Amino acid sequence: MRKILEKIGAKTSGATLLDIRVETIRFRKLLENTRAALTLLADGREKLKGEYIFDRQYALSVMDDVLERAGMMAFDATVLSPGEADFLYRLLDSLVASGRKVAETTPGKETPGGMEPEFALLSHILDWLEGGPGKGESLFPEFFGEVFDRAVPGLVTGSCLNLADSFLEITGKNGPAVLAVIDLAGSGKKAPGEKTACPPLGVMLLETRGAEDLEKKNTGARWLALADGAHLSLRALDPSAGLRMEATLSGHEDSDFVFTYSRRPVFPENGAPRDLRTEKTRLGHMAWMYGVPARHIEECLVRLGAALWA
Amino acid sequence: MEKKLRIMVIDDENIVGKRLKPALEKDGDTVETFEEPNKALERFGEAPFDIVVTDIRMDGIDGLEVLEQVLARSAKTKVIIITGYATVEVAREALAKGAFDFIAKPFKPGDLRAVIEKAAREIRA
């Protein structure tokens, strides 16, 4: 923290770098809350496999907990894009009202296929939350997509190039790409020969045809990388690309992840890295991976680097 | 040969007894299930059980009262509390009042079996 404060005092009108810092933390909170909601759905599905004993209260708590996370996601998104608050909170209100109605219309004792009522209720709730076919109107997948469609464009972009600590020029098939790097951790500890002290960024550069440190600051940068220890926040400065990537590569399976949001798919259809889950939103494409071995995250980052820059 | 246990399961949600009974009877123990705690306590008055597994939140008589009445009648009986999703604080209170252990829903029958085996070792010691 001290290093960050020193950096703020020494290099800039503080507020701008502080804005970036706050925004980065808030985006990570949005991802944490999204992940928690997805984990609740996955846990619920696990409980439906039949080995567990649970009661009606557990089934209802899944709905309550997912809706609570949805509220946190709406808050995070409106911090990032305050102009979207009205829309997102109206959508959240509808989501909560519909969810409560679904929980009230519980299957009775006579359930299809002789399923126990508690299992039928949980199945009913999960189908609704996940927007399964034929399960009526579900607002959660729509809410999920709108949160990201509206939060990503509101993020700080090119105005922060003057804060960059270094510029990397990457030679790719489409010409050189210049990447501005801001070191939020303030460590600056690069091993000899390394272009960055940030592990996910280092891995992304592995299959590119060389990344050279530019001696002078370059305002032609089209990418901004915020390096924060094992965490990388990457964005395209071209608003039409609408690309944002977050990743952590610490070697700890519980915390490592990759998330991308982009207007166009980053990987071709049927060509995505293993374990990468994808979802199309109204305006873009999301892809994420977590809870997998570190080497899968690494492979995904290598391929992302190649797809973006090689 | 070890003496088989007499186990009582009390939960007002039918699913619990329905799914636990066959799982716990696999080892040859005798299992009786009840959805109404007052009927369970009447039955306990007729013939004590080695182990009582009871939900904590039930209409009428709750799990804490079951715990108190069971221990008042048979101090040797081990009472295992099943807690709902958000009742861990109450479970702590139950432990303070003499419950042997507690298990939180959702759980697998094998998880409860492990607690019962621990209780059985104490009973047989």
Side-chain angles (χ1 to χ4, degrees), chain A residues 75-143:
Chain A
F75 176 76
D76 296 332
T78 55
V79 169
L80 295 165
S81 292
E84 304 292 352
D86 281 353
F87 175 87
L88 287 173
Y89 275 101
R90 269 204 305 274
L91 188 58
L92 177 69
D93 287 347
S94 305
L95 176 72
V96 171
S98 311
R100 287 195 180 133
K101 229 178 258 178
V102 166
E104 282 163 12
T105 55
T106 58
K109 293 211 169 185
E110 298 300 318
T111 54
M115 191 189 266
E116 285 153 344
E118 293 77 7
F119 277 70
L121 174 60
L122 180 58
S123 174
H124 180 60
I125 285 172
L126 292 173
D127 285 348
W128 183 81
L129 284 168
E130 292 168 349
K135 298 298 174 187
E137 190 183 345
S138 170
L139 293 173
F140 189 69
E142 180 191 339
F143 172 82

Side-chain angles (χ1 to χ4, degrees), chain B residues 10 14 32 34 40 47 56-57 63 68 84 86-87 90 99 110 112 121 125:
Chain B
I10 314 168
N14 160 280
E32 291 187 31
F34 298 85
I56 199 133
R57 191 168 56 184
E68 285 169 1
T87 52
V90 188
L112 178 62
R121 281 196 292 275

Side-chain angles (χ1 to χ4, degrees), chain B residues 56-73:
Chain B
I56 199 133
R57 191 168 56 184
M58 295 180 287
D59 288 337
I61 301 172
D62 70 13
L64 289 179
E65 200 174 332
V66 168
L67 167 71
E68 285 169 1
Q69 291 202 32
V70 163
L71 292 182
R73 292 176 199 182

Side-chain angles (χ1 to χ4, degrees), chain A residues 220-293:
Chain A
R222 295 179 63 193
W223 295 89
L224 177 66
L226 305 174
D228 190 0
H231 190 96
L232 171 67
S233 175
L234 177 78
R235 63 197 75 182
L237 295 176
D238 173 7
S240 66
L243 192 140
R244 167 105 189 197
M245 193 208 85
E246 295 282 331
T248 295
L249 191 58
S250 64
H252 300 291
E253 196 172 308
D254 288 343
S255 57
D256 285 353
F257 74 97
V258 178
F259 168 87
T260 65
Y261 174 95
S262 54
R263 291 292 190 228
R264 289 178 293 278
V266 177
F267 296 106
E269 206 174 332
N270 302 324
R274 59 179 162 172
D275 297 327
L276 193 72
R277 294 174 60 189
T278 58
E279 186 84 30
K280 191 175 177 332
T281 67
R282 187 172 55 84
L283 297 177
H285 299 263
M286 291 192 293
W288 65 92
M289 180 189 289
Y290 63 83
V292 299

Side-chain angles (χ1 to χ4, degrees), chain A residues 159-208:
Chain A
S159 61
C160 28
L161 283 180
N162 61 322
L163 301 168
D165 295 284
S166 61
F167 289 83
L168 294 176
E169 188 176 60
I170 305 159
T171 309
K173 60 181 180 291
N174 298 321
V178 177
L179 180 69
V181 182
I182 297 178
D183 182 5
L184 287 175
S187 66
K189 287 176 189 165
K190 289 190 279 189
E194 280 189 351
K195 304 298 176 200
T196 173
C198 178
L201 181 55
V203 169
M204 285 184 77
L205 295 173
L206 282 178
E207 285 199 2
T208 60

Side-chain angles (χ1 to χ4, degrees), chain A residues 50 52-53 55 65 118-119, chain B residues 13 19 57 85 105-107 109:
Chain A
Y52 285 87
I53 291 175
D55 57 15
D65 292 349
E118 293 77 7
F119 277 70
Chain B
E13 299 245 14
R19 301 197 71 198
R57 191 168 56 184
Y85 191 60
K105 289 178 192 167
F107 63 89

